[in-house]
Amino acid sequence: MMTAAEIRQKYLDFFASKKHQIVPSAPIVVKNDPTLLFTNAGMNQFKDYFLGNRKPEHTRVADTQKCLRVSGKHNDLEEVGVDTYHHTMFEMLGNWSFGDYFKKEAIAWSWELLADVYGIPKDRLYVTVFEGDEKENIPKDEEAWNEWKKVIAEDRILLGNKKDNFWEMGDTGPCGPCTEIHVDCRTDEERKLVDGKTLVNNDHPQVIEIWNNVFIQFNRLKDGSLEPLPAKHVDTGMGFERLTRVLQNKQSNYDTDIFTGTIAEVEKIVGKKYTAGDDKESVAFRVLADHIRAICFTIADGQLPSNTGAGYVIRRILRRAVRYYYSYLGYKQPLLHQLVAVLATQFEKVFSELKAQESFVQKVVKEEEDAFLRTLEKGLKRIDDIVNDAKGSTIDGKAAFELFDTYGFPIDLTRLIAGENNLAIDEKGFEAALNEQKERSRAATTIDTEDWFEVVPNNAVEFVGYTTTEANSKVVKYRKVNIKGKTSFQIVLEKTPFYAESGGQVGDTGELSFDGEVAIVTDTKKENDLIIHFIDQLPMNMSAVVSAKVDAERRKKIAVHHSATHLMHAALRKVLGTHVAQKGSLVNEEYLRFDFSHFAKMTDEEIAKVEALVNEKIRANIPVVIKEMPKEEAIAFGATALFGEKYADVVRVVIMDENYSVELCGGTHVGSTGELGFFKITSEGAVAAGVRRVEAFTGFAAEQFVNREFDSIREIRGLLKNPKDLSKSVENLQSENSELKKKLEKLEARQLVVLRNELLQKDEIINNVTFIGDIIEVSNADALKKICFDLKTNLNDYVAVLCANIDGKPFVAVGISDTVAAAKGLDAGKIIKEHVAPLIKGGGGGQKTLATAGGQDASNLQQVIEKVKGLL
């Protein structure tokens, strides 16, 4: 039996023999493509070839691509682990032709590989071909049908509709018919009972699609119409996990050696055996084996868990995994980080980036687990309150959504706990709250893009901004866009000096002049390989020669901060250690921000050393040398490359002393380090698990910062009467302030005793319960709560409600003895929420015997006292 590694290599070797260039996987996290958060198909890194924005270096390529599908159109998350073939991260084996071979070769090679090389029995294979679509006037794919007839029996060629056999990149763009290959993995007995062709594309877990050959021959326009592409392409994708399952003769992807090593490690950690069933415990094993891959490889490719965008998707996946081992494997401490090493070793030869960052990924994952386990415990306490507050036999849908949204509880876990308490969930209310959130999220990110209007045919946009900030050019194409209700336009030029936002450096601004008509460029961004200029108004004459002029002064300030980032990165590695790696950056005209891997707060001494080293290099006025060379040569030269970046075969290397800073970088820089003037770090702190952030100024911005600081010191000196020793003077002030605070606290404590004794003289008996209610004068809410609590030592069966108007704001404390709470069924927390909070237009809560509230309306404090009194 072939191992998974052998199956992968055999695929790559086969297409290498067919004259395909074997290329590395693109990062799983997508950059410079506003339509995607993650690589969700093998073709993503080749989109520009299909769109005509870039010419391919090789017309035939093949690879294995890391993919992730958990959001948007391809959302398989809830099926992952429940069934045996959906995954979050998966490998997509693919071969491509960019205007080279087409249907004949693609179909013949697919059959040769599956039937002859891999040896899949031919009587287990079925293929589907596009049946055509009358509405769109697209005929049946006769060419594919005829090619398949050469290698497979005609009764195994099935017709498929547009949903199954017509592939589209999105609402607009390249598309075309596809032919899928399906494998019947059932036993011989099952195959005799039911014909496999009736189960194709019918969600049968054992009759599965294994390979899709897409023939890209059309372009979908905004109005829905199709136009033929000038060149025809082949785009194929074969799920590596499914292929391995078939070739290893397993009934589940999770039974292959892609996952068995991880499952065995989980068994060892939790002390339980995986039974491969449909029970929650088995599902939990599969969830962990799948999710740890998505978590590890996205972090290794540079995406840290966070509360927004791609980072939030990873956090959701990680938390789903934590919930499963916590609830169904009974494991109450961090587990996922213990699986990183197994995965790193398994994929060392194919995706080496995880092994290179194994320690970093482990620490990030563990910190995320620790944080969510704390939240999970709070959520379980919150659900107890919700169960107790449930009206009738139903948990409110909004409360169920709160558990999902705030505490990360899946709805099925809330259902389980509700069932244990003989309660149901308001499912419609939950769905309504969930859909409301989705609509808000969708509305906030909606970008309506119209079709490109082509002015000059061109598929190779030239950037000339490294050597100039001005250039004459022509408009290649433009389009109208609507972002959050605001209309603007995007323009692509034949050649442009405008730098598009990339690598942490912000996009250039400036102006485009069309025969004297000026359009202000508000931003410049990349969309795949296009450089897009954002303007608010479209000029009248789009065919005129364009004078493109970058805001050169702003560009220089940006370049100063970018060069300083390189000097600082090298200094951090020398001061803190070579484990330091860039994890994100922002470079603009005002300051620089740099995120890097490091697991301790930088000391003042370390910050000073980094600053001194950078300033030393600035004073040395080192020439900034920029060279272009093959990527392998650059790496051998010692250039620092970033994990998660996709580099071209020829790269740009920025050198500031060969023995100090050598980095791969596409940004703009100064001519020599002396142009930076001066460098100063302004802040250092944590932004994520194992990631620190430094902010700094250089050049004119640093000069302004230092001047502001000196102005502040001068002002403080003046306030302190210009002491000789400023530090000593501040220390004396602090010491004096501390002594005064202690004296004040003693005076307040005495005052509280006096107030408490006065209150004890104002008690009255109501139904055998001592009641005290009064509006008193205190300086803060804590004092009010303390007096209410202190009454407990002087009273037995009592209820106390104390109110105060502090700086115009009402505050209330309610205290109840244990005996009265039990005998009368009173709860201070509920009294605050139901009776007090509405009267003072505020909120609060607490325990059964002591609770507090604050609000906005202090006019009803006497009513508060009467209301609580009335409860007796």
Side-chain angles (χ1 to χ4, degrees):
M1 183 176 74
M2 282 186 287
T3 66
E6 290 168 340
I7 291 168
R8 184 194 293 112
Q9 193 57 50
K10 199 172 280 285
Y11 177 90
L12 297 174
D13 289 345
F14 176 82
F15 280 101
S17 74
K18 304 297 183 185
K19 298 182 171 55
H20 286 64
Q21 178 71 27
I22 308 304
V23 298
S25 170
I28 203 168
V29 183
V30 174
K31 298 178 178 68
N32 298 329
D33 187 344
T35 65
L36 287 174
L37 290 178
F38 301 101
T39 296
N40 63 8
M43 57 74 61
N44 290 161
Q45 67 167 309
F46 307 118
K47 276 175 70 172
D48 277 314
Y49 302 156
F50 301 133
L51 291 165
N53 298 334
R54 185 159 58 108
K55 287 184 177 179
E57 296 170 43
H58 310 282
T59 57
R60 299 182 182 188
V61 299
D63 70 358
T64 179
Q65 172 66 52
K66 295 173 291 185
C67 298
L68 188 69
R69 288 184 183 174
V70 289
S71 59
K73 177 183 171 185
H74 301 291
N75 189 348
D76 301 332
L77 184 58
E78 291 311 313
E79 286 81 39
V80 174
V82 178
D83 63 25
T84 59
Y85 53 91
H86 276 105
H87 299 289
T88 50
M89 180 208 150
F90 59 96
E91 281 186 68
M92 185 71 85
L93 301 169
N95 58 282
W96 286 268
S97 164
F98 307 119
D100 190 337
Y101 62 84
F102 204 45
K103 297 177 185 180
K104 177 182 178 181
E105 294 86 350
I107 288 171
W109 291 339
S110 297
W111 185 257
E112 181 185 349
L113 178 62
L114 292 179
D116 299 338
V117 177
Y118 284 136
I120 298 175
K122 297 175 183 179
D123 65 348
R124 289 183 175 272
L125 294 169
Y126 296 89
V127 299
T128 60
V129 171
F130 181 49
E131 66 185 6
D133 190 292
E134 285 187 14
K135 287 182 182 178
E136 300 221 30
N137 197 28
I138 311 173
K140 171 187 170 185
D141 192 348
E142 292 286 358
E143 185 181 355
W145 178 278
N146 291 330
E147 290 302 328
W148 276 121
K149 282 194 333 186
K150 296 177 182 178
V151 293
I152 192 171
E154 199 163 337
D155 65 347
R156 291 182 169 272
I157 309 173
L158 311 176
L159 290 175
N161 58 23
K162 184 182 171 190
K163 174 178 173 290
D164 291 325
N165 282 86
F166 194 87
W167 180 90
E168 307 202 42
M169 185 184 292
D171 294 334
T172 60
C175 55
C178 62
T179 180
E180 296 177 343
I181 305 169
H182 297 253
V183 183
D184 188 345
C185 300
R186 295 174 300 153
T187 62
D188 290 337
E189 291 73 19
E190 290 174 311
R191 291 198 298 144
K192 286 176 185 175
L193 293 173
V194 180
D195 192 339
K197 70 170 65 174
T198 66
L199 303 177
V200 170
N201 276 334
N202 278 318
D203 293 325
H204 193 287
Q206 303 300 327
V207 182
I208 56 174
E209 174 202 336
I210 194 171
W211 203 350
N212 191 8
N213 280 250
V214 180
F215 306 118
I216 299 177
Q217 57 190 95
F218 302 111
N219 182 40
R220 174 81 67 185
L221 299 176
K222 180 77 173 178
D223 63 7
S225 62
L226 295 174
E227 63 178 13
L229 287 171
K232 296 176 180 179
H233 314 289
V234 173
D235 161 23
T236 83
M238 177 155 56
F240 174 60
E241 291 77 12
R242 292 188 182 189
L243 174 65
T244 303
R245 165 187 167 183
V246 170
L247 295 180
Q248 293 185 353
N249 195 26
K250 303 294 184 182
Q251 296 300 300
S252 162
N253 292 3
Y254 294 94
D255 294 336
T256 68
D257 63 340
I258 299 172
F259 297 100
T260 50
T262 306
I263 289 174
E265 189 67 19
V266 176
E267 287 179 325
K268 190 168 30 171
I269 293 167
V270 302
K272 296 182 178 184
K273 292 296 290 181
Y274 172 59
T275 58
D278 295 328
D279 57 288
K280 290 291 187 184
E281 192 172 283
S282 294
V283 171
F285 272 100
R286 293 194 289 269
V287 165
L288 296 184
D290 172 273
H291 285 15
I292 189 61
R293 303 197 322 157
I295 294 161
C296 285
F297 283 108
T298 47
I299 293 173
D301 273 352
Q303 180 57 64
L304 296 167
S306 69
N307 282 329
T308 58
Y312 183 60
V313 174
I314 303 312
R315 181 164 281 169
R316 275 177 52 219
I317 294 172
L318 187 147
R319 289 184 170 188
R320 185 173 187 258
V322 173
R323 289 194 302 261
Y324 268 91
Y325 71 65
Y326 186 96
S327 298
Y328 305 122
L329 296 180
Y331 199 76
K332 310 295 184 185
Q333 60 202 53
L335 184 154
L336 295 171
H337 73 285
Q338 301 178 60
L339 305 177
V340 176
V342 174
L343 212 58
T345 300
Q346 177 183 343
F347 286 95
E348 185 174 6
K349 291 183 179 177
V350 60
F351 305 128
S352 59
E353 60 274 11
L354 180 55
K355 190 68 177 178
Q357 301 177 87
E358 183 180 328
S359 176
F360 172 73
V361 174
Q362 279 179 331
K363 289 174 180 175
V364 171
V365 172
K366 184 176 185 301
E367 192 159 319
E368 278 289 314
E369 288 186 275
D370 283 332
F372 184 56
L373 284 167
R374 290 192 295 270
T375 305
L376 194 59
E377 289 171 10
K378 291 176 186 174
L380 291 171
K381 290 175 183 174
R382 174 69 183 120
I383 203 170
D384 286 342
D385 292 339
I386 290 172
V387 167
N388 292 332
D389 292 342
K391 294 175 181 176
S393 59
T394 304
I395 287 179
D396 180 66
K398 287 185 178 179
F401 179 72
E402 178 199 346
L403 289 166
F404 168 80
D405 192 42
T406 305
Y407 299 101
F409 273 50
I411 190 65
D412 58 349
L413 180 56
T414 306
R415 284 193 199 104
L416 178 68
I417 298 172
E420 291 170 354
N421 291 275
N422 298 315
L423 295 169
I425 292 172
D426 171 16
E427 300 279 354
K428 287 185 178 178
F430 173 81
E431 287 298 327
L434 182 62
N435 287 331
E436 188 179 323
Q437 185 202 54
K438 286 180 178 177
E439 285 302 320
R440 282 197 305 270
S441 176
R442 196 175 291 119
T445 57
T446 297
I447 300 176
D448 183 28
T449 306
E450 296 193 359
D451 291 327
W452 285 108
F453 185 88
E454 193 173 77
V455 180
V456 177
N458 187 304
N459 61 0
V461 175
E462 183 184 3
F463 174 64
V464 296
Y466 290 135
T467 56
T468 182
T469 55
E470 297 184 28
N472 289 330
S473 188
K474 297 278 286 184
V475 174
V476 173
K477 53 186 173 181
Y478 64 90
R479 67 183 177 188
K480 184 179 179 181
V481 294
N482 191 295
I483 304 173
K484 297 182 185 178
K486 182 185 177 184
T487 298
S488 62
F489 298 89
Q490 298 177 344
I491 288 181
V492 177
L493 301 177
E494 270 188 331
K495 62 179 180 180
T496 179
F498 283 78
Y499 181 85
E501 179 182 319
S502 184
Q505 180 174 328
V506 296
D508 280 335
T509 57
E511 60 182 42
L512 305 178
S513 180
F514 298 74
D515 278 344
E517 187 180 0
V518 174
I520 301 300
V521 178
T522 58
D523 201 358
T524 313
K525 292 184 182 292
K526 272 189 178 180
E527 185 169 309
N528 301 304
D529 270 10
L530 283 182
I531 297 175
I532 296 174
H533 308 76
F534 286 71
I535 60 174
D536 291 334
Q537 294 294 328
L538 208 60
M540 296 292 290
N541 185 7
M542 295 298 291
S543 59
V545 172
V546 182
S547 175
K549 188 176 181 181
V550 173
D551 182 339
E553 186 178 343
R554 178 175 179 269
R555 161 77 82 82
K556 179 62 183 291
K557 291 176 180 177
I558 294 169
V560 160
H561 281 112
H562 201 154
S563 297
T565 301
H566 283 225
L567 291 178
M568 184 181 70
H569 187 189
L572 287 167
R573 288 173 63 85
K574 287 192 178 297
V575 173
L576 301 178
T578 53
H579 65 280
V580 167
Q582 181 176 336
K583 293 298 173 186
S585 70
L586 171 66
V587 177
N588 61 27
E589 69 273 30
E590 296 175 350
Y591 69 104
L592 70 87
R593 188 180 75 206
F594 188 76
D595 299 343
F596 59 97
S597 53
H598 187 56
F599 288 87
K601 178 179 173 60
M602 287 180 69
T603 65
D604 291 343
E605 183 183 5
E606 287 169 337
I607 291 173
K609 283 182 178 179
V610 169
E611 288 178 334
L613 191 49
V614 173
N615 282 312
E616 177 190 318
K617 298 300 178 183
I618 291 172
R619 287 191 299 273
N621 198 24
I622 302 164
V624 177
V625 179
I626 298 174
K627 296 180 179 179
E628 288 192 351
M629 61 181 75
K631 182 175 67 176
E632 291 73 18
E633 184 182 325
I635 299 300
F637 185 62
T640 301
L642 303 184
F643 290 110
E645 286 291 337
K646 178 73 175 176
Y647 294 103
D649 291 340
V650 176
V651 293
R652 191 165 177 268
V653 184
V654 178
I655 305 164
M656 301 180 196
D657 181 348
E658 290 183 7
N659 298 313
Y660 182 73
S661 173
V662 182
E663 289 195 35
L664 303 185
C665 179
T668 61
H669 290 274
V670 297
S672 61
T673 60
E675 295 177 48
L676 274 55
F678 176 67
F679 171 82
K680 183 66 182 175
I681 292 175
T682 58
S683 68
E684 188 275 347
V687 287
V691 179
R692 309 295 297 180
R693 170 172 291 173
V694 164
E695 292 188 0
F697 293 125
T698 194
F700 181 63
E703 182 184 328
Q704 288 181 308
F705 171 75
V706 170
N707 286 338
R708 285 195 301 270
E709 292 295 298
F710 268 106
D711 287 343
S712 295
I713 293 171
R714 193 180 298 116
E715 189 176 340
I716 293 168
R717 280 186 175 278
L719 291 170
L720 296 175
K721 312 298 182 189
N722 293 308
K724 288 183 180 179
D725 189 336
L726 183 59
S727 296
K728 186 66 176 174
S729 184
V730 172
E731 285 175 13
N732 291 339
L733 201 62
Q734 288 175 324
S735 178
E736 185 180 331
N737 186 48
S738 178
E739 289 299 320
L740 288 172
K741 276 185 178 178
K742 288 176 184 177
K743 289 178 181 178
L744 186 59
E745 285 169 4
K746 287 179 182 179
L747 288 171
E748 285 180 341
R750 288 176 189 170
Q751 182 193 20
L752 294 183
V753 172
V754 172
L755 275 171
R756 182 198 67 195
N757 292 338
E758 287 176 357
L759 289 169
L760 290 171
Q761 304 303 314
K762 297 179 181 181
D763 65 328
E764 55 183 305
I765 306 299
I766 303 173
N767 288 334
N768 298 318
V769 174
T770 300
F771 176 76
I772 294 176
D774 201 0
I775 300 172
I776 62 176
E777 288 188 17
V778 289
S779 60
N780 57 68
D782 285 340
L784 189 73
K785 183 178 179 181
K786 188 174 188 309
I787 292 177
C788 197
F789 181 79
D790 284 351
L791 290 173
K792 190 173 188 177
T793 60
N794 294 273
L795 297 169
N796 293 318
D797 303 328
Y798 76 94
V799 171
V801 53
L802 302 182
C803 307
N805 183 335
I806 304 172
D807 297 327
K809 296 288 181 71
F811 293 89
V812 179
V814 174
I816 304 174
S817 64
D818 293 331
T819 51
V820 173
K824 300 286 186 182
L826 295 177
D827 183 323
K830 283 189 176 181
I831 290 171
I832 284 287
K833 288 178 181 176
E834 296 173 10
H835 301 289
V836 175
L839 287 172
I840 63 173
K841 295 180 181 177
Q847 306 302 314
K848 280 190 173 184
T849 57
L850 181 65
T852 58
Q856 301 299 318
D857 187 355
S859 65
N860 294 324
L861 292 179
Q862 193 59 49
Q863 287 184 44
V864 167
I865 294 170
E866 296 304 321
K867 186 76 174 179
V868 178
K869 184 177 181 181
L871 297 176
L872 294 174

